[in-house]
Amino acid sequence: MKQININVEDEVLEEASSILNDFGMDCEMVYKVLLKRIIRDRNISFLFPKTTESNIQVSNDYHGILNANNIEYDKMTKSRAVRLFINEGIEVKGKVIFSSKNRTVANYWANPPLYVLDVDTSLILNDTINKKLYLFFIPACSFSKSQLITRSDQPELIDLQIRYNDPSFEDNRSGMKFSKYLKNTIDY
């Protein structure tokens, strides 16, 4: 077995590790998955949604912003969304859950662990069409475990399906409305 050594800025490694930790992964695991995916697909086009291999140029910006024919394809991430709120002077507290509008269904889907019901939680919804971020603050114990629906295949995870373009931000599965927890909205 070969060993790979990669030099990465401390800040980048810390931020990536923090995000991966939320998924129960580490950087080593991601490197292995990435290499296996490259072998399986025999290319790297999966890294560049909405682009083709022939028009991709990777910028030197460490955030990985991709320019294809002078169009910026910078995918919104949880860490970027949090930074945008913080840059606006808006506090993001507690466990952070992030969900983008689903591409094929008019929902925001998220599967946070059940324990988030017992801790202060920030929920960020990313409206990819209107380029808006919605920040909700849900104090600990705002919902009971019986009020929200869990996934049938993974009962330790909540199955949130919040309606897109619904001012009440209603969860399709439980009927719970999140609008009263909405704290801020920013455009990006």
Side-chain angles (χ1 to χ4, degrees):
M1 184 176 293
K2 299 237 182 205
Q3 183 173 354
I4 299 173
N5 294 316
I6 301 172
N7 294 324
V8 180
E9 292 90 354
D10 292 341
E11 180 181 309
V12 173
L13 183 60
E14 288 172 18
E15 191 170 338
S17 295
S18 174
I19 294 166
L20 291 171
N21 203 21
D22 289 345
F23 296 101
M25 299 176 77
D26 61 18
C27 289
E28 183 178 344
M29 183 183 297
V30 171
Y31 302 141
K32 290 176 183 177
V33 169
L34 174 65
L35 293 174
K36 287 178 181 181
R37 177 75 187 265
I38 291 168
I39 292 166
R40 186 190 81 191
D41 292 1
R42 313 291 297 155
N43 66 54
I44 61 168
S45 62
F46 64 91
L47 293 172
F48 311 107
K50 300 181 187 173
T51 64
T52 62
E53 289 179 69
S54 62
N55 67 3
I56 294 171
Q57 297 174 335
V58 178
S59 77
N60 290 328
D61 184 321
Y62 85 89
H63 293 293
I65 295 172
L66 302 176
N67 293 306
N69 299 332
N70 297 321
I71 300 171
E72 188 176 271
Y73 288 94
D74 188 10
K75 185 176 180 191
M76 181 59 67
T77 63
K78 177 167 68 170
S79 59
R80 181 168 179 235
V82 168
R83 276 196 313 270
L84 288 173
F85 279 111
I86 291 171
N87 289 344
E88 294 291 322
I90 301 165
E91 187 177 15
V92 179
K93 300 186 286 188
K95 173 74 175 155
V96 179
I97 300 166
F98 177 81
S99 177
S100 293
K101 184 212 170 283
N102 187 284
R103 290 183 187 183
T104 57
V105 181
N107 286 336
Y108 299 98
W109 285 348
N111 295 125
L114 270 173
Y115 78 81
V116 300
L117 300 176
D118 301 326
V119 298
D120 289 344
T121 302
S122 290
L123 170 65
I124 300 174
L125 300 180
N126 175 26
D127 181 345
T128 56
I129 295 171
N130 296 306
K131 303 294 185 202
K132 287 185 181 290
L133 293 171
Y134 299 94
L135 174 64
F136 301 79
F137 178 70
I138 305 163
C141 303
S142 294
F143 296 102
S144 70
K145 291 179 173 134
S146 63
Q147 287 179 291
L148 297 172
I149 308 297
T150 59
R151 288 181 50 157
S152 58
D153 62 332
Q154 292 180 313
E156 71 282 1
L157 300 178
I158 301 167
D159 190 8
L160 284 180
Q161 297 181 23
I162 298 173
R163 292 183 186 164
Y164 176 73
N165 253 354
D166 175 10
S168 71
F169 294 95
E170 183 176 349
D171 174 32
N172 283 336
R173 305 272 290 137
S174 67
M176 300 304 296
K177 294 176 176 30
F178 286 81
S179 56
K180 70 180 180 180
Y181 302 104
L182 182 62
K183 296 300 176 198
N184 291 96
T185 303
I186 59 173
D187 297 317
Y188 64 91

